[in-house]
Amino acid sequence: MLAEPFNWQPGMWKVLIVVMCVALLGCLQAQELQEHVSIILLGATGDLAKKYLWQGLFQLYLDEAGRGHSFSFHGAALTAPKQGQELMAKALESLSCPKDMAPSHCAEEKDQFLQLSRYRQLKTAEDYQALNKDIEAQLQHAGLREAGRIFYFSVPPFAYADIARNINSSCRPGPGAWLRVVLEKPFGHDHFSAQQLATELGSFFQEEEMYRVDHYLGKQAVAQILPFRDQNRKALDSLWNRHHVERVEIIMKETVDAEGRTSFYEEYGVIRDVLQNHLTEVLTLVAMELPLNVSSAEAVLRHKLQVFQALRGLQRGSAVVGQYQSYSEQVRRELQKPDSFHSLTPTFAAVLVHVDNLRWEGVPFILMSGKALDERVGYARILFKNQACCVQSEKHWAAAQSQCLPRQLIFHIGHGDLGSSAVLVSRNLFRPSLPSSWKEMEGPPGLRLFGSPLSDYYAYSPVQERGAHSVLLSHIFHGRKDSFITTENLLASWGFWTPLLESLAHKAPRLYPGGAESGRLLDFEFSSGRLFFSQQQPEQLVPGPGPAAMPSDFQVLRAKYRESPLVSAWSEELISKLANDIEATAVRAVRRFGQFHLALSGGSSPVALFQQLATAHYGFPWAHTHLWLVDERCVPLSDPESNFQGLQAHLLQHVRVPYYNIHPMPVHLQQRLCAEEDQGAQIYAREISALVANSSFDLVLLGMGADGHTASLFPQSPTGLDGEQLVVLTTSPSQPHRRMSLSLPLINRAKKVAVLVMGRMKREITALVSRVGCEPKKWPISGVLPHSGQLVWYMDYDAFLA
Ligand code: BG6
């Protein structure tokens, strides 16, 4: 019987097309099954590999092997093959499966994983060439297509360059396959060394090939910060800012000490070991502007960098440091140092960080970490302001409704009384939304955390706890670069921390006994941009170089200098005295004339004064103050060299001066700098004449250069020393050479002139100028003699007590 001719219905074409597509997809998937990944773990028998990396690789294998990839694992080290094989076998003994996997299945998976894992010695260039040949042979033999190669450097950084060279010259995969090299910290010791290391690695690898690990980015609670912020945008949008956040604490406390690791620790200390990397990374995740798409690695990395740009520079007073008492003894023992050796390496640090942008201005970010403390715990805690008053008595307060209970959000990184990663949100804030991989948790009854019972929080923990390295290995495999440290990110972080590290290099840390015995010794407070220990330093346990004189040990000295009043003190007290005097002058001027005209110098000496005015003078009549510049460098106003930029960074952005009261010097006109024909000096002079009565400033703040210059009036240069001109263009012997300056006649019309002189570098000129008469051509400062106003010298002891 003949088959009935097939009757094509119109819709059947569509069905056929769908069937063909499915078949094609199936073929493609089958082809994908052939994709092979080789993972080479360098340092396969080391500590990190034993503790975390092999387990992470096993987890990666469990997660991915069934999904279109085949694997081979090459454990590598310098050790000879036989011994290395034995050591690696030991490291692999303790692999564990997820809790919910049946034991028989687990044994099967482990067995397969072990069969795919081989030890090999990687020492010479030939060893690397042989590795490459073996990978290629394996691919060819099994008919596999290569997806890529991961080289995990679990080795000390001094070995990086050699390994990198060998990989680059003989172990790159063929076209179409990727190379990923994974690097573990330390990535340098300061900005300079990090830059060197980055340049070296950059000569072997492309930026996209490098995955610098900060294992904190793999901690589940840390990895949840951005997704949480994203998923709870609606609730957080209005709260995540300076109006609602009281402070942010980013804490990593440890009970272990540095014993057994002092050769590393002695070189690094807690700031380099933990704050520069782990805690800073957490800070950026909390503080960054949330990208529209948090899964865009490019956007996340860009927004992170913006946080670094907004960080206020750290001062010595931004931090306190401590050292557990037995540390020096451990260093002496482990590093064979003489009995007289006392280490200055901090094992505890607390640092006050400010993010100077519109969202976070004024919100303290506290970063703190230490060894040998009373507990092991890590968290990022966002404490919200509480401006509510509850009328009913406390017994009627309900956790979910009462606005009078503490309001906080905690990314609990691990350990502590809770013992696991968690996200805690005060019930009176909002009910959070978390992905299904997180579940609501219960803690032990009666548990209190951060001042509230656990029941006052919505508390979530991961359904499956995963080690940080395991999380990151999965991200490396999937090419998720946002979980890693780019070169730019690394250098920005070192750029931020290096000045503080340098300023603390010779500071003796406060000694603490360790554990619970430390009592309140390490408690600290912060205010006015500074952070300090709450308690006075008790008797030093180790004799230091002798107690340094504190500013408070001295009275402010009043005397005369060049026939004019002199105020002299240690620098801190001097600045505070000068700031008080300026405020008093301002208040008087505003009371009498309704406004205060203040002309300020640039350079480094006034920076501390600006900061003092910005942080400790709330009664200053800024709204009625006009700010003028005494002098300016001929650079754009946004240039870091510009005096106006210094004023902006240290004062203007922290106070509220009406913008029409701010008078930068017009050095940049018609896209040119200080061109005579643009008449910038004349324009400024006209502005002064128009706004300042009799062109007589209420107060002019000057400095004195080591060569006797003041404002931008330099020795051996007649410009601006006499004549009619109020504002002049001058030439400096040092760069940038071209300047704009108030003239000496204009300065001398002021009602008050204060000259601030600080530092040892000024000793000689201070002594010399004290003896000379009025010779402005040789020493322009000697020509400062207000006609009817007052001249006051402010000198610190370093400059004055020669
Ligand atoms: C490391 C530091 O990066 O982090 C160690 O070098 C520190 O000093 C460790 O102990 C803490 O990590 P974790 O995962 O135990 O919190």
Side-chain angles (χ1 to χ4, degrees):
M1 200 175 79
L2 278 175
E4 245 183 90
F6 199 86
N7 197 5
W8 285 100
Q9 304 290 322
M12 289 193 76
W13 281 110
K14 278 191 199 152
V15 175
L16 186 68
I17 289 169
V18 170
V19 169
M20 281 170 68
C21 285
V22 170
L24 194 65
L25 209 68
C27 288
L28 286 173
Q29 270 172 358
Q31 213 179 347
E32 248 185 48
L33 271 178
Q34 308 294 313
E35 293 233 311
H36 187 79
V37 178
S38 310
I39 302 186
I40 300 93
L41 174 53
L42 298 132
T45 55
D47 247 18
L48 188 70
K50 266 191 257 174
K51 274 196 189 150
Y52 306 113
L53 299 179
W54 280 116
Q55 179 62 39
L57 290 175
F58 180 46
Q59 186 65 48
L60 181 73
Y61 168 76
L62 291 177
D63 292 344
E64 305 292 344
R67 298 189 190 162
H69 283 97
S70 61
F71 288 91
S72 53
F73 300 95
H74 307 259
L78 296 174
T79 321
K82 190 164 173 299
Q83 200 192 348
Q85 183 63 53
E86 283 166 15
L87 288 171
M88 191 173 113
K90 274 222 167 94
L92 288 167
E93 266 169 18
S94 53
L95 295 182
S96 63
C97 297
K99 281 192 200 112
D100 55 354
M101 190 182 271
S104 58
H105 186 198
C106 173
E108 224 172 83
E109 295 282 12
K110 259 196 211 175
D111 202 43
Q112 281 173 10
F113 179 74
L114 294 181
Q115 281 184 27
L116 297 172
S117 309
R118 289 270 173 280
Y119 177 79
R120 63 188 309 138
Q121 185 179 25
L122 277 186
K123 204 169 178 182
T124 61
E126 290 73 36
D127 292 337
Y128 284 86
Q129 286 155 13
L131 166 68
N132 189 49
K133 269 202 186 138
D134 288 356
I135 294 177
E136 281 172 1
Q138 187 193 2
L139 291 167
Q140 210 173 11
H141 182 248
L144 298 166
R145 213 179 72 79
E146 184 164 35
R149 300 180 188 182
I150 297 174
F151 283 84
Y152 201 118
F153 287 42
S154 177
V155 296
F158 64 78
Y160 279 10
D162 252 3
I163 299 176
R165 188 171 304 109
N166 280 317
I167 294 174
N168 184 42
S169 55
S170 48
C171 289
R172 284 188 165 275
W178 42 254
L179 170 70
R180 293 179 187 151
V181 293
V182 188
L183 306 160
E184 281 278 348
K185 80 179 179 70
F187 309 121
H189 184 263
D190 53 17
H191 187 263
F192 178 70
S193 54
Q195 172 87 68
Q196 271 186 325
L197 184 62
T199 309
E200 187 162 40
L201 288 169
S203 65
F204 301 118
F205 305 123
Q206 308 281 332
E207 180 68 31
E208 70 263 19
E209 292 174 334
M210 287 187 278
Y211 286 69
R212 286 191 195 85
V213 168
D214 182 314
H215 79 282
Y216 263 60
L217 292 178
K219 300 255 180 195
Q220 284 169 294
V222 176
Q224 190 50 222
I225 296 177
L226 287 188
F228 181 91
R229 289 183 56 192
D230 186 41
Q231 253 185 289
N232 294 280
R233 265 180 206 264
K234 222 169 142 212
L236 287 176
D237 258 0
S238 57
L239 289 173
W240 211 249
N241 57 54
R242 67 192 151 105
H243 302 296
H244 292 276
V245 175
E246 166 112 15
R247 67 172 192 244
V248 178
E249 297 171 3
I250 300 171
I251 308 294
M252 194 246 252
K253 288 172 72 181
E254 296 189 280
T255 48
V256 291
D257 62 20
E259 193 166 18
R261 290 177 80 202
T262 53
S263 64
F264 160 79
Y265 208 83
E266 186 51 9
E267 253 188 77
Y268 287 84
V270 66
I271 297 182
R272 292 183 172 90
D273 188 33
V274 170
L275 278 81
Q276 175 275 325
N277 37 67
H278 307 325
L279 303 194
T280 305
E281 287 305 310
V282 176
L283 177 141
T284 59
L285 295 176
V286 172
M288 73 195 262
E289 291 302 308
L290 201 55
L292 277 179
N293 175 6
V294 289
S295 350
S296 154
E298 189 273 324
V300 169
L301 293 169
R302 187 158 34 85
H303 286 217
K304 255 183 160 184
L305 273 182
Q306 286 167 359
V307 177
F308 284 108
Q309 281 154 15
L311 292 180
R312 188 185 303 170
L314 295 171
Q315 314 281 322
R316 201 176 140 141
S318 313
V320 289
V321 286
Q323 184 189 84
Y324 65 84
Q325 212 170 307
S326 53
Y327 177 75
S328 278
E329 164 55 26
Q330 290 173 350
V331 176
R332 287 194 290 269
R333 191 162 13 93
E334 290 180 12
L335 306 183
Q336 276 100 50
K337 298 271 186 191
D339 286 352
S340 57
F341 177 82
H342 291 292
S343 166
L344 291 180
T345 304
T347 62
F348 167 88
V351 183
L352 174 62
V353 176
H354 280 284
V355 184
D356 281 334
N357 58 22
L358 277 183
R359 185 180 293 281
W360 296 117
E361 190 185 29
V363 178
F365 283 72
I366 309 292
L367 273 54
M368 187 267 269
S369 183
K371 299 266 183 212
L373 299 180
D374 63 328
E375 62 170 346
R376 181 181 184 191
V377 69
Y379 56 85
R381 175 187 185 211
I382 295 98
L383 182 65
F384 292 89
K385 290 182 184 170
N386 203 330
Q387 285 142 341
C389 285
C390 294
V391 176
Q392 282 202 305
S393 72
E394 201 173 331
K395 56 181 178 287
H396 298 299
W397 294 359
Q401 283 130 29
S402 177
Q403 290 310 311
C404 289
L405 288 167
R407 304 193 309 155
Q408 39 195 339
L409 163 53
I410 295 130
F411 295 97
H412 196 267
I413 300 169
H415 308 287
D417 291 337
L418 207 52
S420 64
S421 338
V423 176
L424 308 175
V425 183
S426 293
R427 285 182 184 268
N428 58 2
L429 266 180
F430 60 92
R431 180 186 257 286
S433 143
L434 273 102
S436 57
S437 50
W438 289 68
K439 60 174 190 327
E440 282 208 59
M441 71 179 293
E442 279 175 23
L447 179 62
R448 290 183 70 85
L449 290 165
F450 307 100
S452 302
L454 186 60
S455 55
D456 278 9
Y457 299 98
Y458 294 109
Y460 291 81
S461 63
V463 173
Q464 193 195 344
E465 287 267 345
R466 287 189 64 159
H469 282 92
S470 156
V471 170
L472 291 180
L473 275 163
S474 155
H475 289 185
I476 294 161
F477 178 76
H478 289 288
R480 280 193 46 186
K481 288 232 69 174
D482 49 326
S483 306
F484 299 88
I485 312 298
T486 61
T487 305
E488 263 186 302
N489 182 162
L490 177 74
L491 295 179
S493 176
W494 277 119
F496 174 65
W497 287 102
T498 301
L500 178 73
L501 287 162
E502 281 168 0
S503 76
L504 293 174
H506 303 293
K507 187 178 161 93
R510 170 174 288 199
L511 295 175
Y512 59 97
E517 272 180 59
S518 300
R520 297 193 46 233
L521 200 57
L522 296 177
D523 288 358
F524 56 89
E525 294 168 34
F526 51 92
S527 71
S528 306
R530 302 179 140 253
L531 188 143
F532 42 87
F533 283 122
S534 304
Q535 291 187 346
Q536 289 283 330
Q537 168 85 32
E539 213 173 291
Q540 272 284 9
L541 296 143
V542 176
M550 297 296 290
S552 50
D553 298 341
F554 294 81
Q555 292 291 314
V556 173
L557 189 73
R558 283 166 191 284
K560 292 244 163 192
Y561 181 83
R562 291 180 61 80
E563 308 293 309
S564 293
L566 164 73
V567 179
S568 194
W570 288 114
S571 57
E572 241 173 87
E573 184 152 19
L574 182 76
I575 290 295
S576 129
K577 178 82 184 82
L578 174 55
N580 287 342
D581 290 353
I582 295 179
E583 180 175 338
T585 312
V587 170
R588 264 197 311 274
V590 171
R591 205 179 297 137
R592 289 185 60 193
F593 313 112
Q595 50 190 4
F596 173 56
H597 287 276
L598 172 62
L600 293 169
S601 292
S604 56
S605 291
V607 167
L609 172 71
F610 296 164
Q611 287 169 346
Q612 178 79 9
L613 287 172
T615 54
H617 286 264
Y618 298 99
F620 204 103
W622 292 117
H624 303 281
T625 297
H626 281 257
L627 287 175
W628 301 85
L629 271 285
V630 162
D631 64 335
E632 187 54 280
R633 294 142 189 233
C634 295
V635 293
L637 293 188
S638 57
D639 191 299
E641 293 241 49
S642 147
N643 285 343
F644 182 76
Q645 197 43 237
L647 188 63
Q648 161 69 17
H650 301 292
L651 181 65
L652 290 180
Q653 63 169 326
H654 308 294
V655 296
R656 309 254 189 278
V657 182
Y659 77 93
Y660 41 80
N661 283 9
I662 299 171
H663 309 280
M665 282 185 153
V667 286
H668 198 186
L669 294 171
Q670 320 243 32
Q671 298 179 2
R672 300 186 286 206
L673 293 165
C674 295
E676 290 276 359
E677 51 275 44
D678 292 333
Q679 304 222 324
Q682 289 84 339
I683 293 172
Y684 206 51
R686 279 202 295 276
E687 201 176 337
I688 295 169
S689 309
L691 295 172
V692 185
N694 303 321
S695 302
S696 168
F697 290 109
D698 294 302
L699 179 65
V700 176
L701 175 74
L702 296 177
M704 172 166 75
D707 57 355
H709 82 258
T710 192
S712 277
L713 305 169
F714 296 95
Q716 319 301 347
S717 157
T719 327
L721 298 181
D722 48 27
E724 296 295 306
Q725 271 186 279
L726 300 183
V727 184
V728 287
L729 289 176
T730 66
T731 307
S732 159
S734 57
Q735 282 191 332
H737 296 298
R738 291 187 306 145
R739 309 287 173 97
M740 187 179 285
S741 178
L742 304 189
S743 69
L744 202 49
L746 177 61
I747 291 170
N748 284 335
R749 287 164 87 146
K751 297 189 183 108
K752 185 168 176 173
V753 177
V755 185
L756 175 63
V757 187
M758 300 217 297
R760 287 164 167 261
M761 306 270 288
K762 303 289 169 66
R763 277 189 179 176
E764 273 180 38
I765 190 71
T766 305
L768 178 71
V769 168
S770 73
R771 295 191 296 266
V772 303
C774 176
E775 292 188 68
K777 286 206 173 110
K778 285 192 188 155
W779 304 283
I781 187 72
S782 69
V784 175
L785 295 164
H787 306 314
S788 53
Q790 189 195 20
L791 169 64
V792 184
W793 298 84
Y794 291 83
M795 293 188 172
D796 74 351
Y797 289 148
D798 274 337
F800 179 64
L801 293 182

